[in-house]
């Protein structure tokens, strides 16, 4: 198999694009695709400081790597979720990358700033991913705002987008479909623009980029990984893709081009400011502060209960 661009021996075959590339041409192709997405979708410019949310995994580190090589001004943000070995290993990978590339990385240990994900899950008796998603959204906004950033970039790839789109279509989640865009503009001065520059790059492509660039990333998924449903949707989409290469990209791209604007977010009142932390909120307290209050209440109840249990009878 020969490289579509330079006719040298190809290292990677991309049936979805009807192309194959050698190492150098693949890296060029990947960077150009990401650059084109950033420009076409007006995600950000080289004059802006971009906060990159890095998990230590292949996607977000590949994204950070592309942005650095393309000359964007970046800073990393890593949230230490406190999920045992997974968090310590992923933190090491993010730190290692930042040191190697001489780029700033802000680390936020949730156990110190709020509560760790496992503790939040234990006290609320809900799946860890629920508290995790809430805390990620909150700290992404808070640190972007505190650091004076106007834009936050995440490493969501095409497979993430296609799986989410499929789930939202199957359940006709109109509100989520209305927000399913690679660029989300802020609805409050304390929110920042959220962008997904890898939304057209498949998981196979980001993995190949990370591998060919020698990026050291955490391979294991979070032990609470996304619940079974997202993985199940990804599997189904991979089976369709194997029969009909390019389907994932068409599914996402055509939704954005032809259907996305048909879904309109309900006219709600714009967010107010949370009475407790001052961040935007759709109720007197923002959802993060409601979570913290719930954890605190359950903690107190448990403490009172164990005090009662230890009273001599
Ligand atoms: P996930 O929700 O785990 O699929 O991750 C999607 C994106 O969110 C990643 O590509 C990162 O950009 C970001 N992200 C996930 N976990 C973290 C974390 N612990 N710290 C900072 N960013 C994260
Ligand atoms: Fe959030 Fe696993 S629970 S990354
Ligand atoms: Zn709040």
């Amino acid at each position: 198999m020969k490289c579509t661009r330079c006719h040298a021996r190809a290292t990677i075959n991309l049936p979805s694009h009807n192309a194959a590339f050698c190492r150098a041409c693949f890296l060029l192709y990947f960077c150009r695709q990401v650059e084109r997405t950033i420009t076409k979708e007006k995600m950000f410019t080289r004059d802006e400081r971009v906060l990159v949310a890095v998990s230590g995994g292949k996607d977000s580190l590949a994204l950070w790597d592309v942005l650095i090589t393309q000359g964007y001004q970046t800073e990393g943000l890593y949230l230490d979720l406190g999920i045992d070995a997974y968090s310590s290993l992923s933190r090491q990978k993010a730190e290692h990358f930042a040191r190697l590339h001489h780029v700033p990385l802000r680390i936020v240990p949730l156990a110190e700033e709020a509560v760790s994900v496992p503790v939040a899950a234990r006290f609320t008796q809900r799946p860890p991913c629920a508290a995790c998603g809430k805390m990620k959204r909150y700290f992404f906004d808070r640190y972007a705002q505190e650091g004076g950033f106007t834009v936050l970039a995440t490493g969501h790839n095409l497979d993430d987008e296609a799986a989410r789109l499929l789930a939202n279509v199957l359940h006709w989640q109109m509100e989520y479909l209305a927000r399913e865009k690679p660029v989300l503009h802020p609805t409050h001065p304390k929110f920042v623009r959220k962008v997904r520059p890898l939304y057209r790059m498949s998981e196979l492509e980001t993995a190949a980029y990370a591998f060919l660039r020698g990026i050291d990333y955490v391979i294991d998924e979070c032990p609470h990984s996304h619940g079974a449903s997202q993985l199940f949707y990804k599997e189904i989409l991979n089976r369709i893709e194997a029969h009909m290469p390019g389907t994932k990209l068409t599914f996402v791209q055509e939704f954005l081009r032809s259907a996305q604007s048909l879904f309109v977010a309900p006219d709600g009142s714009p967010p107010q400011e949370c009475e407790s932390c001052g961040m935007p909120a759709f109720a007197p307290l923002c959802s993060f502060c409601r979570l913290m209050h719930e954890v605190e209440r359950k903690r107190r109840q448990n403490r009172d209960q164990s005090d009662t249990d230890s009273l001599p009878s």
Side-chain angles (χ1 to χ4, degrees), residues 81 83 117 128-129 132 136 222 224:
L81 309 171
I83 306 176
V117 166
C129 299
C132 177
K136 275 183 190 164
C222 163
H224 310 295

Side-chain angles (χ1 to χ4, degrees), residues 10 20-21 35 43 60 77 83 90 93 99 104 109 113 115 133 156 165 174 183 197 209 217 226 230 233 258 274 291:
F21 292 113
E35 181 70 51
M43 290 187 168
S60 49
L77 172 66
I83 306 176
S90 52
K93 304 291 182 191
R99 258 196 320 272
E113 294 280 327
V115 284
H156 293 93
L165 178 58
M174 312 300 262
V183 181
Y209 180 87
Y217 61 86
H226 297 301
Q230 212 203 0
Y233 291 132
S258 327
C274 170
L291 172 72

Side-chain angles (χ1 to χ4, degrees), residues 7 18 21 24 59 78 93 137 230 236 258 293 306 308:
H7 307 295
N18 210 3
F21 292 113
D59 303 308
Y78 172 80
K93 304 291 182 191
R137 281 191 292 277
Q230 212 203 0
I236 305 249
S258 327
H293 283 208
S306 63
T308 317

Side-chain angles (χ1 to χ4, degrees), residues 36-157:
R36 197 170 297 159
T37 303
I38 294 170
T39 321
K40 190 164 162 265
E41 306 284 347
K42 299 189 175 61
M43 290 187 168
F44 45 82
T45 65
R46 284 183 176 70
D47 298 328
E48 282 179 283
R49 288 167 60 240
V50 183
L51 186 61
V52 187
V54 285
S55 63
K58 62 180 183 330
D59 303 308
S60 49
L61 288 181
L63 170 63
W64 203 6
D65 190 79
V66 173
L67 298 184
I68 295 167
T69 38
Q70 298 298 304
Y72 287 99
Q73 303 176 53
T74 61
E75 190 168 325
L77 172 66
Y78 172 80
L79 305 182
D80 186 333
L81 309 171
I83 306 176
D84 308 324
Y86 168 74
S87 286
S88 41
L89 189 62
S90 52
R91 177 174 170 159
Q92 278 169 28
K93 304 291 182 191
E95 284 175 327
H96 174 73
F97 182 94
R99 258 196 320 272
L100 200 68
H101 294 268
H102 309 286
V103 280
L105 172 68
R106 180 184 266 271
I107 303 222
V108 180
L110 290 196
E112 289 164 33
E113 294 280 327
V115 284
S116 70
V117 166
V119 169
R122 182 148 40 90
F123 283 110
T124 56
Q125 293 177 330
R126 282 196 293 273
C129 299
C132 177
K134 224 170 251 183
M135 292 201 279
K136 275 183 190 164
R137 281 191 292 277
Y138 179 80
F139 284 105
F140 286 171
D141 278 313
R142 204 172 105 185
Y143 281 95
Q145 204 243 341
E146 282 181 13
F149 293 89
T150 46
V151 57
L152 174 114
T154 53
H156 293 93
N157 60 36

